[in-house]
Structures are given as structure tokens and as C-alpha cells.
């Protein structure tokens, strides 16, 4: 529903000719809503194939013969049963790249694997939320989106290699990769990740959300130069080095919290950004979109967020998502 379509939409935005293969009646995400489907399937064409039939398999072979790649987002048993692997399709085109996007790997079985389930299973949910509250999931499909990006990268890397073959990308592996420094700290130093109030960073202090006189401010001090600029503006003394700030975390956070309470989040952002200090008032998505109109594009009559990849000399032509066709 999301990881595979997002991967191929990114490629389509970059100029790839993407044909979406759908079953009779259309892919399931069409039933979620027009805006949902458009957000993942602009710039594509579509064809309905019954891959369980000889005719559908014949038409699949014809597509494979003239394509650089096939990307599939199904469970492993379905991918094999429908002949959507390199081993099966190489007879039509030995240069084709076949990408399998699954929950746990092409050889990892068919256990249910949706975004939130995988995030719960790899430790992301346990790391998110208030320490005294329940585990929390982010409000968007971070595992699916991240996996889609990795799938697109793997597809392009294999094409660039000049040889066909199988690429295997799983939600589980991608999310473990997203937890990179937390995993490394545990595997090498025995440091178990922990939730901190206001989403505080494990290594940098202060780097988290702070309440202000009105709203919340994200402040991300990653080196002593940032701290010096912030401390001067906020009227805070001491804690000149990151080592001191990490060692005396609670004291630093108390001082910073008290200083930030004297002004609003929006005002602090206006004061700190010209100084080069990473800071942003917490906004809702509607507020952020209204303040950043340049990220919105028109695809047919759909207003969508445009491609995040900007290539010099290339401007995507945003077309609406495909209508369902036989």
C-alpha cells in the first residue's frame, strides 16, 4: 500500500516511466481515498493484470522484456507464486532488476508486516514517548516511507552496476538501520536506549523540546559554538562544554527551561535563527504547509507535496495518478 508505491513515485518524479500493475478492481489503497492514492501514485500509468492467469503472466513477461526493473511490495510467498523474482523473469530479460519489498526479507516468511507492527517489533515504539507514559508510535508511516527510499536506492544502484539481479529490502532491516547509533551503543558499549522527557537526544544537551511562554520550541545544541550563541541571547551562564552539559544534564535543562519560559516559541525562533542556533517552534502540519508554500505542487486537480529530490536543470512534470484501466 505504501512502501512500494512511494519508492516508484520517487522514481517517477525523477523521470522514470512507471507502470503500476494492479489486480482487477484496483489496488487496495484506491479504496482509502483519492488524496491518499494520489499522494503515492502520481506520474504513473496503470494496467490491470490477473497474474494468476496465463494471459496475465504473458503480459507480465512482455513488460519485463522491455523494462529496466520490477519493484514488488507483496509477501514473499506471493512474490514467488506469481513469478515476480529475477530467477523467473530473467528468461525475458537478463538485465532486469527485481526489487522485493517485504516485511522481513524475501526469505523471512509471511508474518504480517505493516508499518506500525514493525516499528513495535524493532524497538522504535519503545524509544518514543514520555518516560512515564506508554510506548508511542509516530503519527506517520516512517517505516514504510524509509523502506521506500531504500528500495528506490537499491533499484538504481543495481541498474547502475550494469547487471540484472535480485534486490531484497525489508521494513525490519530498514528500521534497524534507522536505529543505527542506538544499536551501536548497545552492541558495543552495552548502553540500553531509554526514553527521555520531551524527546531529548541521548548524546547532546540541550537537544529536545522545551515549553515556552506560548508553545514548544525544538532546540538542538550539538556543539559549543551553538551553546555560546544561545547562552548569550538567553542570559544563561556556565556549562561551556558539551562534556559539562552532558554530565550535568538535569541542571542544564532546568536553567534552559527557566530561560525559555520568558518568551514565546515563535519569538525564540526569530531570535535564535539569525544567530545560527538550530531552533524551531513546534507547528502543526497545516501551519507548516501554509508557511512553506513552495513544497506544494499541483498534479491534475490534486495539491500534493512535491519531490524532495531537486536535480539541477530538471523540473518534474507532476501528472495526476492513473485511472484504473484494463
Amino acid at each position: 500500500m505504501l512502501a512500494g508505491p512511494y519508492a516508484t513515485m520517487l522514481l517517477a518524479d525523477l523521470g522514470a516511466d512507471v507502470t503500476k500493475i494492479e489486480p482487477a478492481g484496483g489496488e487496495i489503497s484506491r479504496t482509502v481515498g483519492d488524496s491518499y492514492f494520489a499522494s503515492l501514485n502520481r506520474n504513473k500509468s496503470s494496467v490491470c493484470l490477473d497474474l494468476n492467469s496465463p494471459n496475465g503472466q504473458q503480459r507480465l513477461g512482455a513488460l519485463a522484456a522491455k523494462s529496466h526493473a520490477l519493484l514488488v511490495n507483496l509477501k514473499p510467498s506471493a512474490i514467488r507464486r506469481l513469478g515476480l523474482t529475477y530467477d523467473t523473469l530473467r528468461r525475458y530479460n537478463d538485465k532486469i532488476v527485481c526489487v522485493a519489498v517485504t516485511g522481513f526479507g524475501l526469505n523471512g516468511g509471511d508474518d504480517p508486516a505493516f508499518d506500525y507492527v514493525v516499528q513495535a517489533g524493532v524497538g522504535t515504539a519503545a524509544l518514543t514517548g514520555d518516560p512515564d507514559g506508554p510506548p508511542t508510535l509516530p503519527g506517520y508511516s516512517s517505516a514504510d516511507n524509509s523502506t521506500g527510499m531504500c528500495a528506490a536506492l537499491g533499484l538504481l544502484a543495481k541498474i547502475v552496476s550494469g547487471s540484472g539481479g535480485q534486490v531484497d529490502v525489508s521494513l525490519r532491516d530498514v528500521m534497524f538501520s534507522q536505529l543505527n547509533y542506538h544499536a551501536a551503543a548497545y552492541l558495543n558499549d552495552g548502553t540500553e536506549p531509554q526514553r527521555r522527557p520531551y524527546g531529548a537526544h541521548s548524546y547532546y544537551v540541550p537537544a529536545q523540546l522545551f515549553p515556552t511562554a506560548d508553545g514548544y520550541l525544538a532546540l538542538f545544541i550539538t556543539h559549543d559554538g551553538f551553546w555560546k550563541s544561545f547562552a548569550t541571547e538567553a542570559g544563561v551562564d556556565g556549562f561551556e562544554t558539551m562534556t559539562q552539559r552532558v554530565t550535568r544534564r538535569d541542571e542544564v535543562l532546568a536553567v534552559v527551561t527557566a530561560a525559555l519560559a520568558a518568551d514565546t516559541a515563535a519569538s525564540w525562533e526569530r531570535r535564535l535563527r539569525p544567530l545560527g542556533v538550530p531552533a524551531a517552534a513546534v507547528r502543526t502540519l497545516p501551519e507548516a504547509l501554509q508557511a512553506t508554500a513552495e513544497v506544494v505542487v499541483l498534479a491534475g486537480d490534486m495539491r500534493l507535496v512535491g519531490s524532495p529530490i531537486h536535480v539541477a536543470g530538471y523540473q518534474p512534470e507532476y501528472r495526476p495518478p492513473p485511472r484504473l484501466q484494463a
Side-chain angles (χ1 to χ4, degrees), residues 212-223:
T212 70
D214 182 22
Y216 289 84
L217 182 79
L219 182 66
F220 208 75
I221 304 294
T222 57
H223 63 69

Side-chain angles (χ1 to χ4, degrees), residues 219-264:
L219 182 66
F220 208 75
I221 304 294
T222 57
H223 63 69
D224 297 340
F226 288 158
W227 173 258
K228 182 178 180 180
S229 297
F230 166 75
T232 300
E233 180 67 20
V236 173
D237 295 320
F239 314 112
E240 286 84 3
T241 69
M242 182 61 75
T243 299
Q244 290 176 322
R245 295 192 295 277
V246 170
T247 302
R248 301 169 65 184
R249 175 187 288 266
D250 291 345
E251 295 176 61
V252 173
L253 296 183
V255 168
V256 172
T257 299
L260 293 178
D263 206 346
T264 67

Side-chain angles (χ1 to χ4, degrees), residues 267-284:
S267 181
W268 278 116
E269 180 180 307
R270 289 192 295 269
R271 292 168 60 181
L272 294 174
R273 283 201 168 180
L275 303 176
V277 177
V282 173
R283 295 178 175 82
T284 65

